[in-house]
Amino acid sequence: LFLYLLYRRNEEYIIKKQAADDLGLTRTSITRASEQLKQMKLINEENYGKEIRMDTVSQGFELYLKARNHLINPVQKVLQVGHLEQKGFYLAGESSLSRHSMLAKPTEDTFAIFKGEKTAVQFREVDARWQDNIKTCRIEIWKYDPALFSIGGEVDPVSLAMSLSD
């Protein structure tokens, strides 16, 4: 919910029902998340008729700075697998960072996938140390769907920062 509110575009407020529909979550889940965000003093809520409107206390980088200590690393598990085509995956980790900085491109690409995807449990891990001439890539299994906030086939900037924070 925080990322959804952070990345909203030119909207004065967000209605809880709309957030639930957009994120594919129940209204109960949105209510729990919004209560946590209110306790952290990151959002305000206002009743307007039958609607509950949410608005952040600030926007953009300022909001990120206020929330940074509460954000989690989205990566649940990292696998090393044989190289695969970027289909249904999102560029992540140092591979994504290298596109936006002076960091050299890593020797193996890193991709993110949601733990709930069918293909997330079908990977066969390999150990490149024991196999000659095999091209590998890293797969990050994420706690939430990177597709929700992806930009141009890459994970969003805040999630990328959190995935590299450790």
Side-chain angles (χ1 to χ4, degrees):
L1 179 60
F2 171 75
L3 292 175
Y4 177 79
L5 294 169
L6 176 70
Y7 290 130
R8 72 173 195 235
R9 301 286 187 246
N10 301 325
E11 295 178 47
E12 220 174 284
Y13 58 84
I14 300 291
I15 298 169
K16 275 189 177 182
K17 181 188 179 318
Q18 185 63 47
D21 292 344
D22 290 350
L23 295 171
L25 298 170
T26 64
R27 291 185 198 174
T28 305
S29 296
I30 294 295
T31 298
R32 285 185 191 132
S34 68
E35 285 300 318
Q36 288 179 334
L37 292 174
K38 279 193 325 192
Q39 288 175 1
M40 294 176 209
K41 296 181 174 36
L42 296 173
I43 68 166
N44 296 311
E45 287 185 350
E46 178 185 341
N47 290 331
Y48 189 80
K50 291 185 178 184
E51 297 176 344
I52 300 174
R53 297 177 174 182
M54 300 178 290
D55 188 28
T56 55
V57 296
S58 54
Q59 293 183 351
F61 190 65
E62 185 181 332
L63 180 60
Y64 165 74
L65 290 176
K66 289 179 181 181
R68 183 174 43 190
N69 294 333
H70 302 288
L71 299 176
I72 62 164
N73 184 340
V75 180
Q76 182 171 321
K77 185 177 181 181
V78 178
L79 307 172
Q80 188 175 28
V81 300
H83 188 72
L84 31 95
E85 296 298 317
Q86 184 184 356
K87 201 173 192 179
F89 304 100
Y90 299 88
L91 200 62
E94 291 180 0
S95 298
S96 180
L97 184 61
S98 69
R99 285 190 171 181
H100 304 282
S101 69
M102 294 179 66
L103 181 71
K105 187 175 189 262
T107 56
E108 61 181 8
D109 287 327
T110 302
F111 299 102
I113 187 170
F114 176 50
K115 68 180 180 181
E117 291 285 328
K118 290 178 186 176
T119 54
V121 295
Q122 298 174 353
F123 293 112
R124 198 179 101 235
E125 286 190 77
V126 297
D127 189 342
R129 296 176 298 179
W130 302 105
Q131 298 179 17
D132 292 332
N133 300 325
I134 185 170
K135 186 158 173 63
T136 60
C137 68
R138 292 168 40 102
I139 300 292
E140 295 178 347
I141 309 292
W142 277 31
K143 298 171 187 168
Y144 56 86
D145 192 352
L148 289 172
F149 310 107
S150 69
I151 302 165
E154 296 182 47
V155 299
D156 68 279
V158 172
S159 297
L160 176 62
M162 292 298 96
S163 71
L164 296 170
S165 64
D166 293 338

